[in-house]
Amino acid sequence: MDYKPLSGREYPRFSAIKTFFRLPQVPTTEIYDVAIVGVPFDGGVTYRPGARFAPARVRELSSLGRGYHWSRALAVFDRLKVADAGDCPTVPIDLKQTYSKIEEHFGQILRAEKRFLAVGGDHSITLPLLRACRRKAQQKLSFVHFDAHFDTYPAAWDCEYHHGSFVRHAVEEGLIDPTTSVQIGIRGPLAGGDDLEFVKKHGLRTITVDEVRRQPLADFLKTLPQFVHQPVYLSFDVDCLDPAYAPGTGTPVVGGLTTYETQTILRALKINHLFAADVVEVSPPYDQGDITSLAAVDAMFECLCLMASKAS
Ligand code: MN
Ligand code: MN
């Protein structure tokens, strides 16, 4: 099996059956390095739905993806065998059943010695993904979290599990180590000052948009933490971007990062062991000209390159 994207010279990028990055669709029983997997579920949203349609739309737009990372001098699809492993089964009207299916499905992928890049879905899917990773890694993971929101919020309508509470559960269940984790792109307004209590109590580092913008971007990049020893899980919620750059999302917050800023931060990250990653909260029905899906494709590419590269 040749794990290479379909050539745009032979088959123009608007042609052919859509798979992630035009890669072959291969079941996870085969031997390769990274499985890209859709998780079409938006039963955990508190505002706009639509993320269930993201895997299909992102597959379509990923036809425009390219394989060579300029600044890392890395041909990612030469270094790693990557395949589209299809979608994870979900139950659109039941979060609990969906969580079981996600944990089981991704547990199998990890047991087959593969890493994964999941495409949500709303952010509630990250909790069962982290549970599967924690079990496989047999240690807490460092968590690199791009988001406008802390996602440490309390139960909503008496429901513990939703897209705004998974970080709290991940800390409380011992899945991630908050003291070696970071949240990037956070901004207000908040529901109340007590929104800050959880991250303070657990020593979770928060990088606000103000902190990114307070100095020249090149100087800010030097302040990024480096991830040398622990395995890392990276989660990219597209609402870290300003709605001008990512309108197609469930819970937009103005005053966000630009696509260039997140791209530059992702390019500068040094992660020795990226265990797994996800890109979530793309809601194609609210998108304009597919700019949100395109931003997601770029973040996915950076995640794949991080999986292929060692920090030096
Ligand atoms: Mn989120
Ligand atoms: Mn968010």
Side-chain angles (χ1 to χ4, degrees):
M1 172 69 69
D2 181 20
Y3 290 88
K4 293 288 159 60
L6 205 59
S7 162
R9 301 279 154 79
E10 201 174 348
Y11 296 97
R13 290 180 184 276
F14 48 81
S15 66
I17 304 291
K18 300 302 178 187
T19 59
F20 290 122
F21 291 96
R22 318 190 91 203
L23 290 160
Q25 189 187 344
V26 187
T28 52
T29 44
E30 297 296 314
I31 294 167
Y32 51 93
D33 303 311
V34 182
I36 311 182
V37 186
V39 188
F41 178 74
D42 58 14
V45 299
T46 54
Y47 192 56
R48 291 171 175 173
R52 66 179 66 180
F53 299 112
R57 196 70 193 143
V58 170
R59 272 194 181 88
E60 168 116 22
L61 272 298
S62 70
S63 297
L64 285 167
R66 304 291 208 278
Y68 186 75
H69 196 292
W70 192 350
S71 57
R72 293 187 195 272
L74 171 72
V76 69
F77 299 119
D78 290 347
R79 187 80 66 85
L80 288 178
K81 287 181 176 164
V82 187
D84 184 330
D87 284 351
C88 174
T90 58
V91 182
I93 55 173
D94 193 306
L95 185 137
K96 198 164 170 246
Q97 284 189 63
T98 299
Y99 270 20
S100 303
K101 285 179 185 290
I102 293 173
E103 203 177 329
E104 170 61 23
H105 191 76
F106 284 85
Q108 268 175 19
I109 292 170
L110 293 168
R111 283 194 297 278
E113 304 305 327
K114 287 174 182 58
R115 287 189 269 180
F116 67 78
L117 170 57
V119 181
D122 73 58
H123 222 160
S124 68
I125 68 160
T126 301
L127 187 65
L129 293 173
L130 283 168
R131 286 174 180 162
C133 288
R134 172 70 175 82
R135 184 167 298 118
K136 173 68 180 172
Q138 298 191 322
Q139 61 177 304
K140 290 183 187 182
L141 296 118
S142 295
F143 191 53
V144 176
H145 177 200
F146 288 81
D147 210 312
H149 310 93
F150 291 112
D151 290 348
T152 55
Y153 307 112
W157 303 284
D158 291 329
C159 297
E160 265 300 321
Y161 300 96
H162 57 85
H163 70 157
S165 67
F166 81 92
V167 173
R168 177 169 57 84
H169 290 289
V171 171
E172 287 171 350
E173 292 179 23
L175 311 178
I176 61 174
D177 175 2
T179 63
T180 59
S181 296
V182 64
Q183 298 182 299
I184 304 168
I186 309 294
R187 54 195 182 269
L190 308 172
D194 52 2
D195 278 3
L196 297 162
E197 277 169 21
F198 188 88
V199 292
K200 276 189 193 152
K201 181 178 159 198
H202 293 278
L204 184 50
R205 180 169 170 200
T206 294
I207 297 176
T208 61
V209 177
D210 284 336
E211 192 177 332
V212 176
R213 295 265 170 85
R214 201 172 286 142
Q215 53 200 319
L217 189 54
D219 292 341
F220 164 73
L221 296 176
K222 291 178 197 150
T223 71
L224 280 172
Q226 295 194 14
F227 300 90
V228 181
H229 300 299
Q230 267 173 305
V232 172
Y233 189 102
L234 191 154
S235 186
F236 190 90
D237 179 336
V238 285
D239 72 25
C240 67
L241 293 164
D242 189 273
Y245 296 87
T249 194
T251 325
V253 184
V254 299
L257 298 168
T258 68
T259 314
Y260 178 74
E261 284 167 335
T262 58
Q263 190 180 52
T264 306
I265 293 167
L266 285 164
R267 286 177 182 176
L269 275 177
K270 289 190 165 57
I271 298 176
N272 253 340
H273 183 196
L274 183 57
F275 197 84
D278 65 47
V279 176
V280 296
E281 294 284 346
V282 175
S283 177
Y286 290 96
D287 208 359
Q288 297 287 328
D290 292 313
I291 56 176
T292 314
S293 290
L294 284 167
V297 169
D298 194 70
M300 290 167 65
F301 172 66
E302 293 296 334
C303 289
L304 292 173
C305 289
L306 279 163
M307 287 181 186
S309 59
K310 284 256 184 241
S312 51

